[in-house]
Amino acid sequence: MSVQTWTWLLVGITFALYFGIAIWARAGSTKEFYVAGGGVSPLANGMATAADWMSAASFISMAGIISFSGYDGSVYLMGWTGGYVLLALLLAPYLRKFGKFTVPDFIGDRYYSNTARTVAVICALIVSFTYVAGQMRGVGIVFSQFLQVDINLGVGIGMAVVLTFALLGGMKGITYTQVAQYCVLIFAFMVPAFFISMQMTGNIIPQIGMGGTVEGGEFLLDKLDKLHTQLGFNEYTSGTKSTWDVFAITLALMTGTAGLPHVIVRFFTVPKVKDARKSAGYALLLIAILYTTAPAIAVFSRTNLIETVSEQKYADIPEWFKNWENTGLIAWADKNGDGKIQYVAGSALSSKKPVYTDARGASGERMISNASDAKNELYVDRDIMVLANPEIANLPNWVIALVAAGGLAAALSTAAGLLLVISTSISHDLIKKQLKPDISDKGELNWARAAIFVAILIAGYFGINPPGFVAAVVALAFGLAAASFFPAIILGIFDKRMNSQGAISGMVVGIVIMLFYMMKFKLNMFGGGTSEDWWFGTSPEGFGTIAMCINIVVSVVVSRMTPEPPQDVQDMVESIRIPSGAGEAGDSH
């Protein structure tokens, strides 16, 4: 069967499974909609957390960025893995003991202020919309290539699918759908890795294969370093980022992780604090399978890409190249007229997306209107490396289709979790807690579903018009979470003296300064700027660390200059540090 037939078959089967689960687990109450009724087993919750956690950024984009950045790409591995450990050990048990299943709810009650709750709702919406934009772009990329539809239509199809099982099942439906999605995405990620590792190194385990030898007895990483230097790139195993920026990005990703609302809510879907800890442990093990494999896939795909395209005649290039060229995610311009693809350092398209014309070149390639006079013109979108990897390695068609199904599972699982956060922030934290306290259970559920519908439309727009690669967009969401939520949560748990004035001031200052920096250096607003204009040499992905530190300083200083919190709030802070005695998630202490 063809790749497209296999893709329709596997995607159809997996989607039928997701819809079936969503219908079976349809939510009938707000508790089922928000926290799946609080009765999910630790193993199922661990699998759902892992699927929620491993978004399109982890599945599609992380290995792609590592494959191009080499050593520098390791910040994503360190930051996201370390952040999950930080969340599981430092925050989850205490938040679970507190009994509030949304971050704005925790902040509103801990800081005894509806103003603090409203600020937290705004921050949650900004973080979640930034994050979900990356997921919708991932969905569009998969659909556009494997189902041969326009990328914008691909985003639209993804919107409809997520909307269906998020509206039907809420957290209950999403939880059990994510269990299935974890199984699909991890199988889809590992099968090609086993194939390619065996093909290139003779070792079926990709983590060992990455450090193994290839034909001729040369170590694979040594071979890749040589290929890089021959083409004028830095050695793959060397880094170009400053030590400070590596530290800043890693810390921003770690602390942003710990403040991500769609992951925190997962610890309320289990019956007890002990179960929350167990599910955190299961999730960490399940996440590690993918995260330890991603660097190996990056090395395999980078080596295969260079060997396949460099100095090859366009007329003889494999079909996969032309298929991805038709989606606009690979571009080549024949600058010297020899009909060959030169892949060397200094590509004028390496940092900007190609703009296509309707014309075709002498070799049949798509013509680019923004090609410059540089020697080399080859553009490869980082987000396609994992998806194209099986095609580059000439694996069976069913493996190529399996990766497509896995990419969709990863993007859709996280998008659904994020949409639920957006809907609960509006229906529970804004409508129920502030505007209409006497609203019925059914009325609150209707508001939640309406909020999901509006949110998916906005998310779809950002998926069609993303500000960068999937992982880069997601990294900005983590920076926003670090700049806003992390200090308020951590100080709320461990500093009895932290009051509402301090928390509100810190969150507002943190999110505003992070948004300004993002807009200036990512979207070229406020005069724009280059990497040489970065403050303290910090990239936008790492600026969340500086914004977080400013948030902490402002919070502490303002809290010490204003009255201390009421005694009952201080007593409550003392009590949540003791793990035992936590009840179910609810609306009261």
Side-chain angles (χ1 to χ4, degrees), residues 108-113 495-501 562-574:
D109 280 19
R110 164 59 182 87
Y111 295 112
Y112 49 93
S113 164
D495 181 9
K496 284 196 301 182
R497 184 65 178 77
M498 184 52 57
N499 61 15
S500 59
Q501 295 94 326
T562 47
E564 62 182 42
Q567 190 58 46
D568 63 316
V569 171
Q570 295 189 47
D571 294 341
M572 175 181 66
V573 173
E574 283 281 4

Side-chain angles (χ1 to χ4, degrees), residues 10 59-60 142 146 185 187-189 191-192 386-390 395 397-409:
L10 292 179
F59 188 97
I60 295 174
V142 176
F146 292 102
L185 77 86
F187 188 66
F189 199 80
V191 167
V386 170
L387 299 173
N389 195 25
L395 295 186
N397 287 347
W398 68 268
V399 179
I400 298 169
L402 181 64
V403 173
L408 287 172

Side-chain angles (χ1 to χ4, degrees), residues 308-323:
T308 302
V309 305
S310 188
E311 291 300 319
Q312 295 294 316
K313 280 190 174 292
Y314 181 85
D316 300 329
I317 206 73
E319 197 62 30
W320 69 264
F321 188 98
K322 295 173 184 177
N323 290 339

Side-chain angles (χ1 to χ4, degrees), residues 60-85:
I60 295 174
S61 197
M62 182 172 65
I65 284 190
I66 296 171
S67 73
F68 279 80
S69 305
Y71 179 83
D72 287 339
S74 62
V75 294
Y76 292 95
L77 282 172
M78 294 187 294
W80 284 333
T81 310
Y84 184 82
V85 176

Side-chain angles (χ1 to χ4, degrees), residues 3-223:
V3 171
Q4 194 166 0
T5 305
W6 269 113
T7 304
W8 279 110
L9 181 64
L10 292 179
V11 169
I13 291 170
T14 54
F15 276 26
L17 177 63
Y18 305 155
F19 285 131
I21 292 171
I23 293 166
W24 166 75
R26 181 167 181 158
S29 66
T30 51
K31 187 173 181 184
E32 287 187 335
F33 194 89
Y34 292 144
V35 290
V40 181
S41 73
L43 179 58
N45 194 53
M47 294 175 79
T49 304
D52 211 352
W53 176 256
M54 292 187 295
S55 64
S58 293
F59 188 97
I60 295 174
S61 197
M62 182 172 65
I65 284 190
I66 296 171
S67 73
F68 279 80
S69 305
Y71 179 83
D72 287 339
S74 62
V75 294
Y76 292 95
L77 282 172
M78 294 187 294
W80 284 333
T81 310
Y84 184 82
V85 176
L86 187 69
L87 170 64
L89 297 180
L90 196 61
L91 299 184
Y94 304 109
L95 291 172
R96 181 66 183 79
K97 173 74 184 287
F98 194 80
K100 298 298 175 181
F101 54 79
T102 72
V103 173
D105 210 7
F106 166 79
I107 288 174
D109 280 19
R110 164 59 182 87
Y111 295 112
Y112 49 93
S113 164
N114 271 341
T115 304
R117 191 189 307 274
T118 303
V119 171
V121 167
I122 294 168
C123 292
L125 293 177
I126 292 171
V127 170
S128 298
F129 276 124
T130 306
Y131 201 160
V132 83
Q135 310 314 310
M136 298 317 296
R137 172 174 161 79
V139 171
I141 288 171
V142 176
F143 274 124
S144 68
Q145 167 60 8
F146 292 102
L147 302 184
Q148 299 299 302
V149 297
D150 181 76
I151 194 165
N152 295 349
L153 178 58
V155 171
I157 296 170
M159 288 163 59
V161 172
V162 176
L163 187 64
T164 303
F165 59 74
L167 279 179
L168 278 175
M171 181 55 84
K172 186 179 179 185
I174 286 170
T175 295
Y176 292 107
T177 303
Q178 284 173 338
V179 171
Q181 285 167 332
Y182 175 79
C183 296
V184 172
L185 77 86
I186 203 67
F187 188 66
F189 199 80
M190 296 305 296
V191 167
F194 294 144
F195 267 99
I196 298 172
S197 182
M198 190 70 189
Q199 187 184 78
M200 292 180 73
T201 69
N203 193 313
I204 198 170
I205 301 172
Q207 293 89 335
I208 297 174
M210 181 179 70
T213 57
V214 293
E215 193 175 339
E218 185 178 25
F219 283 104
L220 176 58
L221 287 170
D222 288 340
K223 177 181 178 179

